Amino acid sequence: MTKIISFISQKGGVGKTTSTINFAMALALAGYKILLIDADPQGSLRFSANVEQSQYGSFELFTKPEVNLLEICQATQHENLSFILSNINTLEDTKIVENLVQDFSILQKRLDPVKKQGQFDFIVIDPPATMSNLTLNVMYATDYILFPLQCEVLAVKSLKHFLQFFKELREMMAPKSIKIAGIFLTMYDKQLPLHQKIATQVMQSLPEVFFHHIIPRDKAISESVAFGKSVLSYNLASPGAVAYMRLMKEFIHKFNLN
């Protein structure tokens, strides 16, 4: 059965969208069939991947259950990677979606038929960097929640706040069982003592969910975003691309998803 992965962060600028597209591309390059969903009204994923919007997108995903989800998907140049892009563009669109997603299970119900049919190995979702009802819908539908953590003090504080919020959220969403599959570090500079300290603290505090493969600060990652590509498409030999491939393999191995 298809598994759903989402990248969750309360704080913007930590590499959430960049990690979403690069992790999805790493899976696609490994031979898995991937559906990448942009559930963020800001639509950053479209710009990062340089994909043109089709007739349908995330608005229809949430509001038009009569439209077959596979009709909403867009093929890409990579045979293993398809998209559903964000097209929640207007205030009216936003109001309609926000009204629907007060029911946390809306997205899960929409994706369940696709999971059972198994056209994709993984559905990878990029939600907003807020704890909105839209993000809660994504979390409710998700099998594996991944948390990108920038190696900065404010990001660590955001993580602590999120973990407390997450405890309350699990009670709110019962009997649905949700859990954090893993936390991984982004924009890491091994030359900075602060980054080394944060990495050690997170690893020691949360060893059961800490991913050991870290995403480094790499100009190839920044350049790839500017060119509307994943770093794996831009420069597969770069430290950033290698790190995302290794992170993907660690994830697959950890949860026996081969």
Side-chain angles (χ1 to χ4, degrees):
M1 182 184 289
T2 303
K3 299 297 184 182
I4 299 179
I5 305 166
S6 64
F7 288 75
I8 303 294
S9 176
Q10 285 182 292
K11 185 178 183 299
V14 301
K16 176 179 66 67
T17 296
T18 299
S19 292
T20 303
I21 189 168
N22 283 300
F23 193 88
M25 180 58 75
L27 286 167
L29 288 175
Y32 297 100
K33 296 287 186 182
I34 308 301
L35 172 60
L36 184 51
I37 299 177
D38 190 352
D40 186 350
Q42 292 189 28
S44 299
L45 199 61
R46 174 163 61 89
F47 299 106
S48 299
N50 195 25
V51 180
E52 294 297 326
Q53 179 67 57
S54 68
Q55 179 183 0
Y56 295 132
S58 58
F59 181 76
E60 288 73 24
L61 173 65
F62 285 100
T63 65
K64 296 187 177 181
E66 71 276 9
V67 177
N68 189 306
L69 190 138
L70 296 180
E71 294 180 35
I72 302 175
C73 300
Q74 294 178 234
T76 68
Q77 292 180 343
H78 196 289
E79 62 179 358
N80 290 336
L81 184 62
S82 300
F83 277 92
I84 293 179
L85 296 178
S86 177
N87 64 338
I88 305 172
N89 298 322
T90 67
L91 180 59
E92 184 61 27
D93 289 347
T94 303
K95 287 181 178 178
I96 292 171
V97 172
E98 286 181 347
N99 183 58
L100 287 171
V101 297
Q102 293 181 62
D103 176 356
F104 294 157
S105 67
I106 286 292
L107 184 59
Q108 182 191 48
K109 293 173 183 175
R110 192 72 165 104
L111 296 178
D112 268 351
V114 178
K115 287 184 68 175
K116 292 174 183 176
Q117 291 164 16
Q119 290 97 332
F120 302 99
D121 297 304
F122 295 99
I123 298 173
V124 182
I125 310 178
D126 184 31
T130 62
M131 286 300 109
S132 64
N133 284 337
L134 185 54
T135 301
L136 298 185
N137 251 263
V138 172
M139 293 174 68
Y140 194 88
T142 295
D143 299 303
Y144 301 100
I145 294 173
L146 300 184
F147 194 99
L149 180 66
Q150 185 183 8
C151 293
E152 300 294 344
V153 173
L154 291 179
V156 174
K157 288 182 178 180
S158 175
L159 172 62
K160 291 179 180 178
H161 183 267
F162 174 78
L163 292 175
Q164 178 58 43
F165 176 84
F166 192 75
K167 290 180 182 179
E168 300 172 10
L169 186 64
R170 291 173 67 178
E171 297 177 3
M172 183 192 311
M173 289 187 168
K176 167 72 176 183
S177 177
I178 61 171
K179 63 180 181 179
I180 297 174
I183 296 168
F184 64 96
L185 301 181
T186 64
M187 306 180 199
Y188 179 78
D189 186 339
K190 63 182 180 181
Q191 303 298 326
L192 296 179
L194 175 62
H195 286 200
Q196 297 173 18
K197 181 179 179 181
I198 288 174
T200 300
Q201 286 179 339
V202 176
M203 180 175 61
Q204 292 177 346
S205 301
L206 300 164
E208 69 282 0
V209 294
F210 182 80
F211 280 108
H212 292 277
H213 288 100
I214 294 172
I215 308 304
R217 181 168 289 165
D218 178 15
K219 68 176 183 177
I221 295 177
S222 302
E223 291 171 355
S224 67
V225 174
F227 284 103
K229 296 182 177 182
S230 70
V231 71
L232 293 101
S233 302
Y234 178 71
N235 185 349
L236 188 57
S238 66
V242 171
Y244 276 112
M245 288 297 296
R246 289 175 174 170
L247 177 66
M248 178 275 294
K249 291 177 181 177
E250 182 179 359
F251 168 80
I252 293 294
H253 178 74
K254 179 176 181 179
F255 296 103
N256 297 312
L257 296 171
N258 298 78

